[in-house]
Amino acid sequence: MPVLNWIGKPAVVTHHKEVPYRLLEPVPELSCGDVDSGNVIVQGDNLDALKALLPRYAGQVKCIYIDPPYNTGNEGWAYNDNVNSPEIRRWLGEVVGKEGETLDRHDRWLCMMYPRLVLLKKFLRDDGAIFVSIDDNEVANLRLLMDEVFGPTNFIATVMWQKKYAVANDHKTIAPMHDFVLVYQRSPRWQRNLLPRGEEKDGQYKYEDRKGQFRNSDYTCNKTAEERPNLYYAITNPNTGDKIWPKRTRVWAYSQEEHQRHISESLIYWGKDGRGKVPAYKRYKHALRNADGVVPQTIWHHEFAGHTDGSRKELREVLHDVPSVSDFSTPKPSLLIQRILQIASDKDSLILDSFAGSGTTGQAVLKQNAEDGGSRRFILVEMDQGIAGNVTAERVKRVARGYTNTKGEHVPGLGGGFQYCKLSKDPLFTADGQIREDVTFSQLAEFVWFSETGTGFKQKDKSPMLGVHKGRAIYLLYNGILGDKSVSGGNVLTGPVLDLLPPHDGARVIYAAACRLSTPRLNREGIVFKQTPYALDVSP
């Protein structure tokens, strides 16, 4: 397999492991509706945010969509089109070192993308998939990068999306009319959905007889009489008696035996009056293998998935009174994201977008839920504080609650809510490896569970036993969670505490985590332990 190398790669290949765990700090004044709805908007660098979200959501995301910087080199649009923003340059200096100051823009882009893709992969369920928008500037590099992170056998497709419907006549070379969407699965367990058929597809079945609705299909094929002499024969119209021969350059598509079967099954159409000059094959709607939907294709026209002109208008309709909206020259249409959701999500799926920008993914999730009665949830991450609060969150809030459009008309809300969070300034662990003093049980429980299982923590109840994973029970004994700090209160391993563990397939290996506690005392025979910075491994 070809391997992509670039300046700075050695510094970022394992950098995701060095990113510290930060805490998610709710911001009530920027949240909307039910904060327990499962929808989350996080403001902060997406590398730090992804690391902070992992303990809660690892292995739980069904569909990831990201619209990363296209890296066009356009310095006038620092947010979306290049990696020369102060935040990225600062990050490169810290991670890559002095070499990062003089990197080619493609090297900088690859350095930025690699650790983020590695972390994104950890969020996906085994039956999940990731969709990445990109254009010609980095599509070749991205394909090789995705092959390296996700594996070449997990490549699904490169979708061509027609982003424009009108040609720019002033373009100096060849006018670009499309973007790409690269699609990779997490594993072969991923299965795509069928797309809704739509009125256009159903409208093709405009004829009907006693067997049901059907459409006409060409009775010839692209073969010559010399190539397929058995397909060059005369067909008789039973209504007129006329004998009809195909062209020698385009013979019938069916053998004489197949044609006789079509006659016996009334599968040949001779026009409304039955006197047609050419036969047609009847294709019945009910006989379709995929009668309930359409197989997704790799070419998405603007009528199917929207275009950038429409997406700008869509954004202004919601946020027409927000000045910074004019800075978004290339937002994605919500219809594009809805098509992805229709292909790659279930009605109760978790959706992640770590380059949230104007919040299109949030709007698309709410729209799709409203259309099919789903309960999908979203996680959006936006780096820029001003954009995250004034655009991303504000757009989703108005779409959820309702808003007044540019014509002064009220647009009803789609329902839903979200919790807005920022990242803690200080990480979970201090420089000397100690757990920060203000951490809560829930925050520490997420981290401990993820560290020991590699999966997201789902339990809501405060219990010293976090759960059982592969025959191992995991305990967090922390700050008197059982109600007091006595020997039997839950901060130390004692018989009463261990008795809380229900029988589980004979599992006797217990993992416990302790923090700022007295030395654990054990009163059950045969148990030994070793202390680690945050965990206590207890084995029979």
Side-chain angles (χ1 to χ4, degrees):
M1 183 184 80
V3 176
L4 183 65
N5 284 306
W6 66 91
I7 299 174
K9 181 177 182 179
V12 299
V13 167
T14 60
H15 176 65
H16 64 283
K17 299 179 180 179
E18 303 167 5
V19 177
Y21 287 94
R22 299 184 184 276
L23 301 179
L24 298 174
E25 299 179 344
V27 183
E29 60 271 21
L30 292 178
S31 299
C32 169
D34 181 9
V35 296
D36 294 323
S37 64
N39 297 323
V40 181
I41 297 178
V42 181
Q43 186 271 310
D45 177 85
N46 53 17
L47 192 60
D48 289 327
L50 290 174
K51 196 67 177 281
L53 289 162
L54 261 182
R56 189 180 301 182
Y57 299 109
Q60 296 184 36
V61 174
K62 175 67 171 172
C63 176
I64 295 174
Y65 170 75
I66 58 172
D67 181 20
Y70 279 13
N71 202 22
T72 63
N74 177 7
E75 301 298 326
W77 177 229
Y79 171 72
N80 194 48
D81 278 349
N82 68 78
V83 289
N84 204 31
S85 68
E87 293 84 0
I88 294 298
R89 291 186 70 86
R90 188 184 313 113
W91 177 80
L92 286 169
E94 293 172 355
V95 176
V96 182
K98 192 170 182 63
E99 193 178 41
E101 298 177 4
T102 57
L103 293 182
D104 173 85
R105 68 184 177 93
H106 298 290
D107 294 318
R108 289 200 302 269
W109 188 86
L110 289 165
C111 284
M112 182 273 294
M113 287 296 293
Y114 191 95
R116 287 159 174 82
L117 288 174
V118 170
L119 287 182
L120 284 169
K121 181 181 178 182
K122 296 178 182 293
F123 284 89
L124 282 175
R125 292 164 29 175
D126 284 344
D127 61 348
I130 180 171
F131 293 68
V132 186
S133 283
I134 202 69
D135 73 356
D136 286 299
N137 284 280
E138 296 291 356
V139 67
N141 288 331
L142 180 62
R143 176 67 190 273
L144 290 174
L145 196 61
M146 298 284 284
D147 278 352
E148 183 169 337
V149 174
F150 289 89
T153 59
N154 287 317
F155 170 74
I156 297 297
T158 298
V159 173
M160 292 181 63
W161 166 55
Q162 184 189 4
K163 63 181 179 180
K164 296 180 180 180
Y165 63 87
V167 178
N169 292 322
D170 59 346
H171 203 276
K172 296 180 180 179
T173 55
I174 299 176
M177 300 294 290
H178 69 274
D179 278 353
F180 301 100
V181 180
L182 295 192
V183 186
Y184 280 75
Q185 62 186 5
R186 178 65 176 84
S187 79
R189 288 188 58 194
W190 182 73
Q191 290 185 329
R192 58 98 178 100
N193 301 322
L194 296 175
L195 287 163
R197 291 195 58 81
E199 295 181 3
E200 180 182 353
K201 287 289 184 181
D202 286 341
Q204 295 176 359
Y205 296 85
K206 55 186 178 180
Y207 303 105
E208 188 171 3
D209 61 16
R210 59 182 178 81
K211 295 170 64 175
Q213 291 179 304
F214 67 90
R215 65 178 177 86
N216 293 339
S217 179
D218 192 355
Y219 214 73
T220 64
C221 69
N222 192 26
K223 297 291 182 180
T224 67
E226 286 71 26
E227 292 174 305
R228 298 295 301 274
N230 65 312
L231 300 181
Y232 185 70
Y233 58 90
I235 288 178
T236 302
N237 183 330
N239 303 306
T240 64
D242 295 339
K243 290 187 177 296
I244 300 169
W245 289 82
K247 295 179 180 178
R248 294 192 63 84
T249 56
R250 188 176 180 87
V251 295
W252 301 127
Y254 308 96
S255 67
Q256 295 190 53
E257 292 77 11
E258 289 177 295
H259 176 64
Q260 291 302 316
R261 180 175 63 82
H262 295 166
I263 293 175
S264 65
E265 296 179 5
S266 300
L267 293 176
I268 300 177
Y269 183 66
W270 290 99
K272 289 183 179 181
D273 60 0
R275 304 177 68 83
K277 299 298 183 182
V278 179
Y281 182 77
K282 295 180 182 179
R283 294 195 181 275
Y284 287 92
K285 183 178 178 182
H286 63 74
L288 286 173
R289 180 182 301 175
N290 300 312
D292 294 331
V294 179
V295 175
Q297 301 177 10
T298 55
I299 298 179
W300 294 5
H301 296 287
H302 70 84
E303 298 92 345
F304 171 79
H307 49 76
T308 52
D309 184 52
S311 63
R312 287 191 294 268
K313 294 177 181 177
E314 180 181 45
L315 180 59
R316 287 195 295 269
E317 279 289 295
V318 181
L319 298 177
H320 53 86
D321 56 341
V322 178
S324 57
V325 164
S326 59
D327 294 336
F328 286 84
S329 59
T330 56
K332 296 300 181 288
S334 61
L335 183 56
L336 172 67
I337 316 300
Q338 279 190 266
R339 294 305 187 190
I340 292 172
L341 296 178
Q342 291 165 359
I343 293 170
S345 76
D346 303 319
K347 289 186 177 182
D348 60 350
S349 295
L350 183 60
I351 315 300
L352 171 59
D353 181 352
S354 59
F355 292 86
S358 65
T360 304
T361 298
Q363 180 171 351
V365 169
L366 296 182
K367 284 178 64 179
Q368 192 59 38
N369 283 345
E371 290 180 12
D372 66 11
S375 56
R376 297 170 188 82
R377 294 149 292 139
F378 60 74
I379 304 168
L380 308 181
V381 179
E382 171 50 43
M383 178 175 64
D384 188 282
Q385 183 176 358
I387 291 174
N390 299 328
V391 180
T392 314
E394 184 62 26
R395 178 183 187 176
V396 179
K397 182 184 298 184
R398 294 187 186 187
V399 170
R401 291 180 172 177
Y403 59 93
T404 302
N405 63 19
T406 54
K407 298 178 181 179
E409 302 167 338
H410 176 71
V411 179
L414 299 177
F418 60 84
Q419 184 177 62
Y420 186 99
C421 298
K422 64 180 182 179
L423 298 177
S424 63
K425 182 179 180 182
D426 299 316
L428 175 59
F429 293 99
T430 63
D432 58 356
Q434 298 300 309
I435 297 176
R436 53 188 288 176
E437 294 290 330
D438 60 342
V439 70
T440 66
F441 174 83
S442 298
Q443 291 168 331
L444 189 57
E446 291 176 352
F447 171 79
V448 170
W449 179 266
F450 173 72
S451 298
E452 304 305 334
T453 70
T455 63
F457 184 61
K458 299 180 181 180
Q459 182 172 302
K460 300 297 183 182
D461 299 331
K462 288 185 177 180
S463 167
M465 193 186 80
L466 304 184
V468 178
H469 182 75
K470 294 183 178 179
R472 170 172 290 178
I474 301 173
Y475 272 66
L476 171 59
L477 307 179
Y478 173 76
N479 284 355
I481 193 61
L482 295 185
D484 61 64
K485 298 185 179 182
S486 64
V487 172
S488 62
N491 273 344
V492 292
L493 277 180
T494 64
V497 173
L498 294 177
D499 286 339
L500 291 172
L501 175 62
H504 185 79
D505 298 332
R508 291 300 306 277
V509 179
I510 301 169
Y511 233 36
C515 162
R516 299 195 303 277
L517 310 174
S518 58
T519 301
R521 283 160 284 189
L522 310 178
N523 65 359
R524 180 167 292 185
E525 295 181 2
I527 294 180
V528 296
F529 65 90
K530 63 180 180 179
Q531 188 73 45
T532 70
Y534 67 86
L536 183 67
D537 190 2
V538 185
S539 305

